[in-house]
Amino acid sequence: MKAGIIGPDRLRVLVEAQVDWLDVQWGTDDVRSAMSRIRSAEHLDAVVIFGAIQFITTDVIGVCQTNGLPIYVLADEESNRQWLDSIEGVTVITQLAEARPRIMPVDRPADGEKSPPDTDRKPSAAIIRPDGQLVAVWGSVGSPGATSLAIALSVSAAQAGLRVLLCDADTRGSSISVALGIVDDIPGLAAASRLAHRGELTEAEIERLVHTVRRGKTSVDVLTGIPRASRWAEITPSKSRPVVALAREMYDLVVVDVGFGIEDNEWVDAAPQRDGAARMFIADADLVVAVGCADVTGISRLIRGLDDVTELNGEIVVVINKSNRQSAREATDAIQRFTNHFVSVTVPRDGRGGIEDAWARGHATAGQLFELVRERCNLPTQRGR
């Protein structure tokens, strides 16, 4: 029997060492790579997935079902068994021997033929529901106003009727909770990341951890950031990626405010990545909003930073903040001359009201930015779920 393995390296080693009746075709801990392999596989009888939320996604389940492949989830802990049992379209096992009598070779249709309909299989609500879009808001060093733009973008999306989650993933200087006046400030994203790392994160837990900030009829859910920069290790790619993956199933739009640092210290083997989470969020985003100031220093920093951001994600919207008519024109010319990007939105300096003004007025330029994001990300015109 031929199978693909999705999970940590130790899962593949376990399978290859102890199971002689299962021919492992490939093994990976990268969900996107696994989906590509499943789509292109001509001979595969089943997929075995490690029972953790970062590996069990609606996209993986959907691809397997489309290709007629049974999914076996190997659960090695009782703590997340209730969550695993609630997932439709998978079979939970505690040891691989349980899967042997169930796995049968799949008769795949010849070219041009269609697979017979599976009348016994009920559609899963988790598969039917589309994933929300992820937008990462990055700003160059020097406080160009990325947090303000992330908040204003979230508010504009909420005013348009979408369900929005705003995450503070700035490990160098989180400030969303202060800006929005959240008094009971628990590190929501860090707490959710810990649960995900233990395989215990559920939609109910995210709903428990978010703060719902309301102004009039508009509301935005917020996962606050870490209170001190020294706690950056609590937000890492392996811990935080599952949080956003689950959030995208719950919300129409997930806006993540990341820090300016996106350095990759790959020259140190196995070293913790200080900016690993920021790099991950930018790489995984459907769209990146890059923010810079209109002054000479701000533009030079933005130009250098765009080179690094582009290496991670080519879908970028450039925003020039704190500008007037002349500085906006000069900044636009400089960006077009020295980079492969162009300025999509220019934002004038705000008044003393700051965040409150942006929230109350929806900020005309933030509305313009949202319409651009809606078009680029193909967001629904109203709340989708």
Side-chain angles (χ1 to χ4, degrees), residues 9 25 46 49 73 91 104 158 184 200 225 237 241 254 263 290-291 333 335 377:
D9 291 340
Q25 299 295 294
I49 308 179
V73 175
T91 301
M104 298 297 291
D184 183 17
E200 299 174 359
R241 176 178 275 127
V254 179
E263 181 182 10
V291 185
D333 292 342
I335 294 296
C377 294

Side-chain angles (χ1 to χ4, degrees), residues 34 36 42-43 54-55 82 86 132 148 187-188 321 328 365 370 378-379:
S36 177
E42 297 181 358
H43 302 291
Q54 61 263 42
F55 304 119
Q82 183 177 358
S86 69
S148 299
N321 196 16
T365 49
F370 168 66
N378 195 26
L379 289 169

Side-chain angles (χ1 to χ4, degrees), residues 142-145 292-295 320-324 327 347-350:
S143 299
C293 289
D295 58 88
I320 299 300
N321 196 16
K322 304 177 183 179
S323 65
N324 55 37
S327 64
V347 183
R349 292 184 178 275
D350 58 9

Side-chain angles (χ1 to χ4, degrees), residues 1 9 80 84 91 121 173 265-266 327:
M1 304 300 179
D9 291 340
N80 62 349
L84 293 174
T91 301
R121 178 176 295 162
N265 57 337
E266 60 183 4
S327 64

Side-chain angles (χ1 to χ4, degrees), residues 17-256:
Q18 299 185 9
V19 181
D20 56 358
W21 51 270
L22 201 59
D23 183 7
V24 178
Q25 299 295 294
W26 48 262
T28 180
D29 61 357
D30 187 339
V31 173
R32 290 187 178 182
S33 174
M35 292 172 58
S36 177
R37 292 170 184 263
I38 292 169
R39 292 191 186 100
S40 61
E42 297 181 358
H43 302 291
L44 206 61
D45 300 316
V47 174
V48 179
I49 308 179
F50 184 70
I53 194 170
Q54 61 263 42
F55 304 119
I56 307 173
T57 69
T58 55
D59 290 337
V60 168
I61 297 175
V63 168
C64 290
Q65 290 185 344
T66 300
N67 288 270
L69 295 175
I71 306 169
Y72 295 93
V73 175
L74 186 61
D76 63 350
E77 297 180 3
E78 290 296 328
S79 59
N80 62 349
R81 184 60 187 262
Q82 183 177 358
W83 166 67
L84 293 174
D85 289 337
S86 69
I87 301 174
E88 298 183 27
V90 305
T91 301
V92 182
I93 58 177
T94 55
Q95 51 185 331
L96 289 168
E98 298 177 33
R100 182 171 187 176
R102 303 179 185 182
I103 297 180
M104 298 297 291
V106 179
D107 294 326
R108 300 187 179 278
D111 294 340
E113 296 182 4
K114 295 183 178 180
S115 301
D118 187 351
T119 56
D120 295 331
R121 178 176 295 162
K122 295 181 180 180
S124 168
I127 302 304
I128 294 174
R129 187 175 62 183
D131 283 347
Q133 298 294 296
L134 172 62
V135 174
V137 181
W138 169 87
S140 57
V141 64
S143 299
T147 296
S148 299
L149 261 295
I151 293 173
L153 173 60
S154 301
V155 171
S156 296
Q159 290 174 341
L162 302 184
R163 192 179 183 202
V164 183
L165 176 66
L166 175 61
C167 296
D168 191 342
D170 188 345
T171 58
R172 295 179 180 269
S174 62
S175 56
I176 285 180
S177 60
V178 176
L180 294 179
I182 299 175
V183 179
D184 183 17
D185 182 16
I186 62 171
L189 181 57
S193 298
R194 287 194 297 272
L195 290 171
H197 187 62
R198 297 198 301 263
E200 299 174 359
L201 185 66
T202 62
E203 292 188 5
E205 290 291 349
I206 288 184
E207 291 173 352
R208 179 180 66 85
L209 291 171
V210 298
H211 290 269
T212 301
V213 182
R214 292 182 174 86
R215 297 290 192 277
K217 297 181 179 180
T218 303
S219 65
V220 173
D221 286 350
V222 180
L223 273 178
T224 56
I226 52 178
R228 296 180 181 275
S230 59
R231 296 175 59 178
W232 62 268
E234 297 181 31
I235 301 178
T236 63
S238 61
K239 296 178 182 178
S240 303
R241 176 178 275 127
V243 177
V244 173
L246 182 57
R248 292 178 70 168
E249 299 176 14
M250 301 171 59
Y251 294 87
D252 297 301
L253 178 65
V254 179
V255 179
V256 181

